[in-house]
Amino acid sequence: LFTSLHRQMHSSNEPRDPDYRVLTNERMNKHVLEAQYAVRGAIPLRAEELREQLEEKGKDAGLPFDTVVNCNIGNPQQLDQKPLTFLRQVSALTEYPDLLDHPSTSSIFPSDAIERARSLLKEIGSVGAYSHSMGVPAIRQRVAQFIENRDGHPSSPGKIYLTAGASTGVSNILQILISSPLDGVLIPIPQYPLYTAALALNAARAVPYYLEESADWGLDVENLKANLEKARHEGTVVKAMVVINPGNPTGNCLSSENMQDIIKLCYDEKLVLLADEVYQSNVYGEARPFVSFKKALKDMGAPYADNVELVSFHSISKGQSGECGRRGGYFELCNFHPEAEEQVYKLASIQLCPSLGGQIGVDILCTPPKEGDESYALWKEEVSGIARTLKERSQIILKAFRELEGVTCNDAEGAMYLFPTITIPPKAIAAAKAAGQAPDAFYSLKLLEESGLCVVPGSGFGQKPGTYHFRTTFLAPGTEDYVRRLKKFHEDFMREYS
Ligand SMILES: Cc1ncc(COP(=O)(O)O)c(CN[C@@H]2CONC2=O)c1O
């Protein structure tokens, strides 16, 4: 489906003489061909096609909706979320430093934004210059301070790497970790498909461990251990474990018991722990406030605290900043061998440096305006407004899901997604089979074609065999319109296939 849609959209590239081209499937890296990334796969591609039809023909497109709503990707500012003012003010001033000496500037920009831009430019020089490959040292110092303030344990700028989004950090660490096609990494199922894609690109094995939907997507430690043993029995050299907390696509927040179980397992089984914490400030319930794996590890003391190799990832793409396109993030190494740190640094240096715009975004994420600053009140109002709105939207959509025939859904404890289970009628499963699609991809494609809502089928994240899901964000404004479209589609679908 992806290939046919992509070809359809880019048919102008079709070669007149197919034998002329060097790069064809037979002659490209087969690991790239094998990699999959459903978040921007076939269904979002089709959504783009429909959007273009609406833009060109409007009502004459003959579609049963007048807008496509992208609920496939956690991209807040694509869905009208306003950027945080302070971040953009500092960015504007650092991008065009002449503004700092313009007579009107002090009447347009608050004094703390001007001061922050000045001090950043003293540390950076120019946003157009390469920085240190790990990122600007002074920014890394403030990231370390943010981590210490959050966790109550020391953090060093020498263990922190600023990155072009968390994706680059994850890809780099996995590239260093994998040394053989027998190597494997434990991946939560359902998972964010960056991990299986990055493992495929490195010709490594994804070793699944299933999150337990009936236990709020909590960890089933026995299943984890069994899958680890099974993988080893099959000859896989399991070297690491990925945790995503809060979870994507599940929206779960791990319990402290689960976190300790994971740390103990990594210690006992000598696994590197990759903690993806990009949604750490997207937490909606009071029951499970965010606790980092760095804190959990250090709180456990010996023998874990100073032995388990932990790398923790964060990003400016999520939370309330939602600066996905700015490409900013960081990871912190903990208990890595100096030999490993040398390779992490070398890979970062090959990539020269992350964008300075992204680095400035990380700086403001970790050191936002503080109480008493001129920008504090507005920053606080914007951040709490975004957090409140996301929580409200998740609850409205969750309630709607639970009223639909054959749909159940766990609360979104965190992140930006709901991941409902749908009971797909046998007739629809048969129709999906005939169409050569996974049942939840069949459902999701029809949902798009008939309602304009673009979601990602659960098969794109992995799920227990025989279960079907889809993932939706709750970022779009107009939640009532979303619910109306979904409800109508679902009732029509269940009627057609029951
Ligand atoms: C768990 C997780 N880790 C890492 C990333 C990468 O983020 P950055 O590279 O932008 O820092 C994402 C992005 N979320 C994807 C993109 O939007 N929807 C998703 O599921 C993510 O959900």
Side-chain angles (χ1 to χ4, degrees), residues 32-257:
V32 173
L33 294 174
E34 282 158 10
Q36 301 289 327
Y37 183 69
V39 171
R40 286 194 148 166
I43 294 171
L45 263 181
R46 176 63 179 149
E48 282 320 300
E49 232 179 13
L50 294 170
R51 172 176 282 109
E52 284 168 13
Q53 287 177 26
L54 286 170
E55 280 164 3
E56 281 159 29
K57 302 174 188 162
K59 295 237 178 286
D60 296 341
L63 297 173
F65 46 84
D66 49 21
T67 57
V68 170
V69 185
N70 278 93
C71 308
N72 59 295
I73 188 165
N75 194 6
Q77 294 184 30
Q78 177 192 38
L79 293 155
D80 300 336
Q81 179 176 307
K82 260 177 60 50
L84 297 177
T85 303
F86 184 76
L87 189 155
R88 291 308 185 87
Q89 288 169 331
V90 173
S91 296
L93 291 165
T94 49
E95 286 292 328
Y96 184 44
D98 289 3
L99 278 175
L100 289 168
D101 303 319
H102 192 283
S104 307
T105 296
S106 55
S107 61
I108 301 170
F109 294 88
S111 58
D112 54 345
I114 294 171
E115 180 42 43
R116 187 65 165 276
R118 286 193 193 284
S119 65
L120 273 165
L121 286 169
K122 281 202 192 80
E123 294 162 343
I124 293 171
S126 161
V127 297
Y130 290 131
S131 74
H132 187 292
S133 292
M134 294 172 69
V136 175
I139 295 178
R140 285 188 284 118
Q141 180 59 52
R142 290 190 287 271
V143 172
Q145 190 60 59
F146 160 76
I147 293 169
E148 276 186 23
N149 296 343
R150 182 194 66 191
D151 298 340
H153 292 283
S155 174
S156 157
K159 309 292 184 187
I160 290 167
Y161 287 73
L162 305 187
T163 54
S167 303
T168 306
V170 167
S171 301
N172 283 9
I173 294 296
L174 289 175
Q175 188 175 8
I176 289 164
L177 232 161
I178 302 303
S179 61
S180 146
L182 296 179
D183 286 356
V185 175
L186 282 160
I187 303 287
I189 299 297
Q191 53 104 30
Y192 169 50
L194 165 67
Y195 290 94
T196 41
L199 288 171
L201 292 173
N202 286 285
R205 300 175 179 185
V207 179
Y209 66 90
Y210 286 92
L211 300 178
E212 188 44 63
E213 185 163 11
S214 61
D216 290 334
W217 293 113
L219 193 71
D220 175 344
V221 180
E222 291 322 307
N223 167 270
L224 171 54
K225 288 178 179 172
N227 285 359
L228 174 59
E229 280 323 301
K230 178 172 176 288
R232 284 177 168 156
H233 182 70
E234 289 163 354
T236 302
V237 179
V238 185
K239 298 172 87 168
M241 174 175 181
V242 172
V243 286
I244 305 173
N245 185 46
N248 173 7
T250 53
N252 68 307
C253 293
L254 289 173
S255 65
S256 50
E257 294 76 19

Side-chain angles (χ1 to χ4, degrees), residues 22 51 54 66-67 82 94 100 128 217 238 252 261 282 305 370 375 389 393 417 458 467 470 480 482 489:
V22 174
R51 172 176 282 109
L54 286 170
D66 49 21
T67 57
K82 260 177 60 50
T94 49
L100 289 168
W217 293 113
V238 185
N252 68 307
D261 292 340
N282 297 107
K370 63 186 180 302
S375 300
T389 302
R393 286 178 183 161
Y417 315 100
T467 66
F470 65 82
E480 290 68 26
Y482 174 105
F489 165 75

